[in-house]
Amino acid sequence: MNVLITGGAGFLGAALARRLAAQGVAGRSVERITLLDRAAPAQPIDDPRVCHVAADISDPAALERAIGEHTGTIVHLAAVVSGQAEADFDLGMRVNVDATRLILERARALGTRPRVVFTSSVAAFGGPLPARVADDTRALPQSSYGVQKAIGELLVGDYTRKGYIDGVTLRLPTISVRPGAPNKAASSFASGIIREPLAGLPAVCPVSTDVRMWLQSPDCAVSNLVHAISLDGALLGIDRTVNLPGLSVSVGEMIGALREVAGADVAARVRFERDPVVERIVTSWPSDFTAERARTLGFVADRDYASIIRAHLASHGVHTAA
Amino acid sequence: MNVLITGGAGFLGAALARRLAAQGVAGRSVERITLLDRAAPAQPIDDPRVCHVAADISDPAALERAIGEHTGTIVHLAAVVSGQAEADFDLGMRVNVDATRLILERARALGTRPRVVFTSSVAAFGGPLPARVADDTRALPQSSYGVQKAIGELLVGDYTRKGYIDGVTLRLPTISVRPGAPNKAASSFASGIIREPLAGLPAVCPVSTDVRMWLQSPDCAVSNLVHAISLDGALLGIDRTVNLPGLSVSVGEMIGALREVAGADVAARVRFERDPVVERIVTSWPSDFTAERARTLGFVADRDYASIIRAHLASHGVHTAA
């Protein structure tokens, strides 16, 4: 098995590469993992099967080099994140729509109908929503990022229907706790308000404690990506987009879990300073899903939010208030 | 008022131009109507306010010429139709997606937030559907045309949300009875099985009599386009896509109405010869809608199908079985 990961140097891509190298996919080993990304992974992946192609996914020549007959599976993670796509509409369109099309076209040109796993987001939803988003709730995105992801979903569906690829789109919950530095995602705080206090740093929360989010740990997200790589496409039928399971957690509950795991002094490092731009985007996203279809298909969720914090501590070092 | 109509030489565009020239919009007169189309209208429109720009909508330079500061309203009708978009995926993407983006970009560049009326279709729907499509039923299109139209809907919504345009998307029912020659739309027969027999010609129906369709007359479609031009955007709120009202009519009922209006001999000119490609596309479309929001917004439907046939006869000459 030969896997190409766009955005492969990002935290999720690199974690996926490590998991694939260590465990393979559904009993099959992985011969080659190509990380297509402008940057190299923050921490080198010391495995001869993992290689890094330094290129922009909006460069057709780079895609032609990186994706070839040997490419059996493409995991397309690279994206301009929500906050940045809102601030720079044209950049978002170029990367999230145009480069996604280039990747789909390259996959089609292979003629081998490769599995393409595309990551969409809760941001595909917006507007008036039921208390729990159902599997057939419509996408009415209220951010450019969400619109661009919804366009990708439609394309993955049609390329699959036409027999050009064998596509699966996962609508990912917000990932928390994401390691590394803050980014330009509107949801960046959902990791920052845990990660920074645990590292002894102050954190700013731009939304109120009652804002509720649909969350998944990086580890769980990687498990779901691996599952999507080997999932039988026939089980998906004509609807290639899956709402992933997750945890519905309010910001207040997140900070409560931080207090429970690391103590009140750590939790007190979170300061509230509302940011209307972030708030508008984040509160347009749904915060709870039935995700029935995903569970039936074998996708998974975390047990509870405190476990997510403990797993983050175990992987990334401990700075408790002790 | 200055209106640009893409696909303006087509039957719907030309009918809209005539209506605008004759009646204006909501009490306002129209100073200029520009028909942007590769071809000239089949029947010249003899009005000094109507001009024709012969160009392809996928040509940015032509769009720059045709759409200028003077352009207050853009009605974007031009499209590669369903059967053709299914047969030639790349052509459909180029015209239905890429050219739509060029038009939206040109509208954005004006800086005047022009009204853009975009025509989508029942083909935006597909897959498992309720007996009557509700206003919040999701779009899960099962044809490339439907996917391309759904992408246009998302873009019109986001360009509007960003304040680049003031957009309205109408999901048009299948138009029947369309005058002129058959075209490459999978739904072309829905006009042909009425138009050809009335003209003394044989017609082939590629689907069975129990196939049910969501229909609207050309006259009613033009009324709805005119209504969309002047509709207050605030009434639409964040959801800029409207399912138009229509008539739910089976092919058997259509032929029954033809018999009622023109006699059994005329209706007997329809021969059945199933075409699985057409049948697959057409039966993936919904055949009934609540269209509650559209009615509240003032959009209209025809009274019954026999009236549509009579109106077609009145406008396009009579060939009854008498």
PDB file of all heavy atoms in Angstrom, chain A residues 268-283:
ATOM      1  N   ALA A 268      -7.103  28.399  35.647  1.00  0.00           N
ATOM      2  CA  ALA A 268      -7.199  29.854  35.823  1.00  0.00           C
ATOM      3  C   ALA A 268      -6.321  30.614  34.830  1.00  0.00           C
ATOM      4  O   ALA A 268      -6.384  31.842  34.761  1.00  0.00           O
ATOM      5  CB  ALA A 268      -6.809  30.225  37.262  1.00  0.00           C
ATOM      6  N   ARG A 269      -5.501  29.910  34.084  1.00  0.00           N
ATOM      7  CA  ARG A 269      -4.661  30.590  33.068  1.00  0.00           C
ATOM      8  C   ARG A 269      -5.460  30.997  31.824  1.00  0.00           C
ATOM      9  O   ARG A 269      -4.920  31.638  30.931  1.00  0.00           O
ATOM     10  CB  ARG A 269      -3.497  29.675  32.664  1.00  0.00           C
ATOM     11  CG  ARG A 269      -2.486  29.495  33.805  1.00  0.00           C
ATOM     12  CD  ARG A 269      -1.332  28.578  33.457  1.00  0.00           C
ATOM     13  NE  ARG A 269      -0.530  28.359  34.671  1.00  0.00           N
ATOM     14  CZ  ARG A 269       0.046  27.213  35.002  1.00  0.00           C
ATOM     15  NH1 ARG A 269      -0.044  26.170  34.195  1.00  0.00           N
ATOM     16  NH2 ARG A 269       0.726  27.107  36.117  1.00  0.00           N
ATOM     17  N   VAL A 270      -6.754  30.577  31.778  1.00  0.00           N
ATOM     18  CA  VAL A 270      -7.596  30.968  30.633  1.00  0.00           C
ATOM     19  C   VAL A 270      -8.281  32.287  30.940  1.00  0.00           C
ATOM     20  O   VAL A 270      -8.964  32.427  31.947  1.00  0.00           O
ATOM     21  CB  VAL A 270      -8.661  29.893  30.339  1.00  0.00           C
ATOM     22  CG1 VAL A 270      -9.528  30.331  29.142  1.00  0.00           C
ATOM     23  CG2 VAL A 270      -8.019  28.544  30.072  1.00  0.00           C
ATOM     24  N   ARG A 271      -8.071  33.251  30.046  1.00  0.00           N
ATOM     25  CA  ARG A 271      -8.691  34.565  30.167  1.00  0.00           C
ATOM     26  C   ARG A 271      -9.723  34.699  29.044  1.00  0.00           C
ATOM     27  O   ARG A 271      -9.511  34.200  27.931  1.00  0.00           O
ATOM     28  CB  ARG A 271      -7.583  35.616  30.013  1.00  0.00           C
ATOM     29  CG  ARG A 271      -7.993  37.052  30.157  1.00  0.00           C
ATOM     30  CD  ARG A 271      -6.730  37.933  30.309  1.00  0.00           C
ATOM     31  NE  ARG A 271      -5.767  37.758  29.222  1.00  0.00           N
ATOM     32  CZ  ARG A 271      -5.853  38.364  28.030  1.00  0.00           C
ATOM     33  NH1 ARG A 271      -6.852  39.173  27.757  1.00  0.00           N
ATOM     34  NH2 ARG A 271      -4.933  38.165  27.094  1.00  0.00           N
ATOM     35  N   PHE A 272     -10.834  35.360  29.301  1.00  0.00           N
ATOM     36  CA  PHE A 272     -11.876  35.511  28.281  1.00  0.00           C
ATOM     37  C   PHE A 272     -11.811  36.896  27.649  1.00  0.00           C
ATOM     38  O   PHE A 272     -11.797  37.897  28.353  1.00  0.00           O
ATOM     39  CB  PHE A 272     -13.260  35.256  28.883  1.00  0.00           C
ATOM     40  CG  PHE A 272     -13.478  33.791  29.152  1.00  0.00           C
ATOM     41  CD1 PHE A 272     -13.003  33.201  30.320  1.00  0.00           C
ATOM     42  CD2 PHE A 272     -14.112  32.996  28.207  1.00  0.00           C
ATOM     43  CE1 PHE A 272     -13.180  31.849  30.546  1.00  0.00           C
ATOM     44  CE2 PHE A 272     -14.290  31.635  28.433  1.00  0.00           C
ATOM     45  CZ  PHE A 272     -13.818  31.065  29.602  1.00  0.00           C
ATOM     46  N   GLU A 273     -11.748  36.909  26.360  1.00  0.00           N
ATOM     47  CA  GLU A 273     -11.744  38.171  25.611  1.00  0.00           C
ATOM     48  C   GLU A 273     -12.459  37.906  24.296  1.00  0.00           C
ATOM     49  O   GLU A 273     -11.887  37.280  23.397  1.00  0.00           O
ATOM     50  CB  GLU A 273     -10.289  38.599  25.366  1.00  0.00           C
ATOM     51  CG  GLU A 273     -10.118  40.039  24.933  1.00  0.00           C
ATOM     52  CD  GLU A 273      -8.626  40.378  24.809  1.00  0.00           C
ATOM     53  OE1 GLU A 273      -7.887  40.226  25.815  1.00  0.00           O
ATOM     54  OE2 GLU A 273      -8.212  40.753  23.719  1.00  0.00           O
ATOM     55  N   ARG A 274     -13.701  38.335  24.215  1.00  0.00           N
ATOM     56  CA  ARG A 274     -14.520  37.947  23.065  1.00  0.00           C
ATOM     57  C   ARG A 274     -14.010  38.534  21.759  1.00  0.00           C
ATOM     58  O   ARG A 274     -13.633  39.698  21.678  1.00  0.00           O
ATOM     59  CB  ARG A 274     -15.969  38.337  23.305  1.00  0.00           C
ATOM     60  CG  ARG A 274     -16.618  37.377  24.293  1.00  0.00           C
ATOM     61  CD  ARG A 274     -17.984  37.826  24.691  1.00  0.00           C
ATOM     62  NE  ARG A 274     -18.958  37.547  23.650  1.00  0.00           N
ATOM     63  CZ  ARG A 274     -20.259  37.754  23.813  1.00  0.00           C
ATOM     64  NH1 ARG A 274     -20.722  38.234  24.940  1.00  0.00           N
ATOM     65  NH2 ARG A 274     -21.089  37.473  22.836  1.00  0.00           N
ATOM     66  N   ASP A 275     -14.028  37.674  20.720  1.00  0.00           N
ATOM     67  CA  ASP A 275     -13.656  38.093  19.369  1.00  0.00           C
ATOM     68  C   ASP A 275     -14.871  37.830  18.485  1.00  0.00           C
ATOM     69  O   ASP A 275     -15.193  36.684  18.187  1.00  0.00           O
ATOM     70  CB  ASP A 275     -12.444  37.276  18.897  1.00  0.00           C
ATOM     71  CG  ASP A 275     -12.018  37.640  17.484  1.00  0.00           C
ATOM     72  OD1 ASP A 275     -12.885  38.054  16.682  1.00  0.00           O
ATOM     73  OD2 ASP A 275     -10.820  37.489  17.181  1.00  0.00           O
ATOM     74  N   PRO A 276     -15.565  38.916  18.082  1.00  0.00           N
ATOM     75  CA  PRO A 276     -16.831  38.716  17.347  1.00  0.00           C
ATOM     76  C   PRO A 276     -16.656  37.942  16.044  1.00  0.00           C
ATOM     77  O   PRO A 276     -17.567  37.221  15.630  1.00  0.00           O
ATOM     78  CB  PRO A 276     -17.335  40.138  17.091  1.00  0.00           C
ATOM     79  CG  PRO A 276     -16.298  41.078  17.601  1.00  0.00           C
ATOM     80  CD  PRO A 276     -15.250  40.313  18.324  1.00  0.00           C
ATOM     81  N   VAL A 277     -15.503  38.092  15.370  1.00  0.00           N
ATOM     82  CA  VAL A 277     -15.295  37.382  14.098  1.00  0.00           C
ATOM     83  C   VAL A 277     -15.220  35.873  14.363  1.00  0.00           C
ATOM     84  O   VAL A 277     -15.891  35.063  13.721  1.00  0.00           O
ATOM     85  CB  VAL A 277     -14.010  37.881  13.391  1.00  0.00           C
ATOM     86  CG1 VAL A 277     -13.721  37.040  12.146  1.00  0.00           C
ATOM     87  CG2 VAL A 277     -14.140  39.357  13.028  1.00  0.00           C
ATOM     88  N   VAL A 278     -14.401  35.497  15.333  1.00  0.00           N
ATOM     89  CA  VAL A 278     -14.272  34.079  15.689  1.00  0.00           C
ATOM     90  C   VAL A 278     -15.620  33.544  16.184  1.00  0.00           C
ATOM     91  O   VAL A 278     -16.081  32.475  15.778  1.00  0.00           O
ATOM     92  CB  VAL A 278     -13.195  33.896  16.778  1.00  0.00           C
ATOM     93  CG1 VAL A 278     -13.280  32.499  17.396  1.00  0.00           C
ATOM     94  CG2 VAL A 278     -11.805  34.144  16.203  1.00  0.00           C
ATOM     95  N   GLU A 279     -16.265  34.333  17.038  1.00  0.00           N
ATOM     96  CA  GLU A 279     -17.537  33.908  17.625  1.00  0.00           C
ATOM     97  C   GLU A 279     -18.593  33.662  16.546  1.00  0.00           C
ATOM     98  O   GLU A 279     -19.320  32.670  16.592  1.00  0.00           O
ATOM     99  CB  GLU A 279     -18.009  35.001  18.583  1.00  0.00           C
ATOM    100  CG  GLU A 279     -19.099  34.556  19.523  1.00  0.00           C
ATOM    101  CD  GLU A 279     -19.257  35.567  20.654  1.00  0.00           C
ATOM    102  OE1 GLU A 279     -19.453  36.765  20.363  1.00  0.00           O
ATOM    103  OE2 GLU A 279     -19.183  35.155  21.815  1.00  0.00           O
ATOM    104  N   ARG A 280     -18.648  34.562  15.575  1.00  0.00           N
ATOM    105  CA  ARG A 280     -19.650  34.417  14.511  1.00  0.00           C
ATOM    106  C   ARG A 280     -19.424  33.125  13.734  1.00  0.00           C
ATOM    107  O   ARG A 280     -20.359  32.385  13.439  1.00  0.00           O
ATOM    108  CB  ARG A 280     -19.599  35.616  13.554  1.00  0.00           C
ATOM    109  CG  ARG A 280     -20.831  35.761  12.678  1.00  0.00           C
ATOM    110  CD  ARG A 280     -20.567  36.568  11.418  1.00  0.00           C
ATOM    111  NE  ARG A 280     -19.577  35.949  10.546  1.00  0.00           N
ATOM    112  CZ  ARG A 280     -19.796  34.867   9.808  1.00  0.00           C
ATOM    113  NH1 ARG A 280     -20.974  34.276   9.817  1.00  0.00           N
ATOM    114  NH2 ARG A 280     -18.828  34.352   9.062  1.00  0.00           N
ATOM    115  N   ILE A 281     -18.173  32.844  13.387  1.00  0.00           N
ATOM    116  CA  ILE A 281     -17.886  31.634  12.612  1.00  0.00           C
ATOM    117  C   ILE A 281     -18.176  30.389  13.450  1.00  0.00           C
ATOM    118  O   ILE A 281     -18.879  29.477  13.016  1.00  0.00           O
ATOM    119  CB  ILE A 281     -16.410  31.630  12.128  1.00  0.00           C
ATOM    120  CG1 ILE A 281     -16.166  32.776  11.134  1.00  0.00           C
ATOM    121  CG2 ILE A 281     -16.065  30.293  11.480  1.00  0.00           C
ATOM    122  CD1 ILE A 281     -14.717  32.885  10.659  1.00  0.00           C
ATOM    123  N   VAL A 282     -17.640  30.365  14.661  1.00  0.00           N
ATOM    124  CA  VAL A 282     -17.727  29.143  15.471  1.00  0.00           C
ATOM    125  C   VAL A 282     -19.168  28.828  15.864  1.00  0.00           C
ATOM    126  O   VAL A 282     -19.593  27.671  15.847  1.00  0.00           O
ATOM    127  CB  VAL A 282     -16.821  29.273  16.720  1.00  0.00           C
ATOM    128  CG1 VAL A 282     -17.090  28.142  17.693  1.00  0.00           C
ATOM    129  CG2 VAL A 282     -15.354  29.264  16.294  1.00  0.00           C
ATOM    130  N   THR A 283     -19.945  29.876  16.194  1.00  0.00           N
ATOM    131  CA  THR A 283     -21.330  29.602  16.592  1.00  0.00           C
ATOM    132  C   THR A 283     -22.229  29.294  15.396  1.00  0.00           C
ATOM    133  O   THR A 283     -23.372  28.902  15.584  1.00  0.00           O
ATOM    134  CB  THR A 283     -21.936  30.765  17.411  1.00  0.00           C
ATOM    135  OG1 THR A 283     -21.878  31.954  16.606  1.00  0.00           O
ATOM    136  CG2 THR A 283     -21.165  30.967  18.715  1.00  0.00           C
TER     137      THR A 283
END
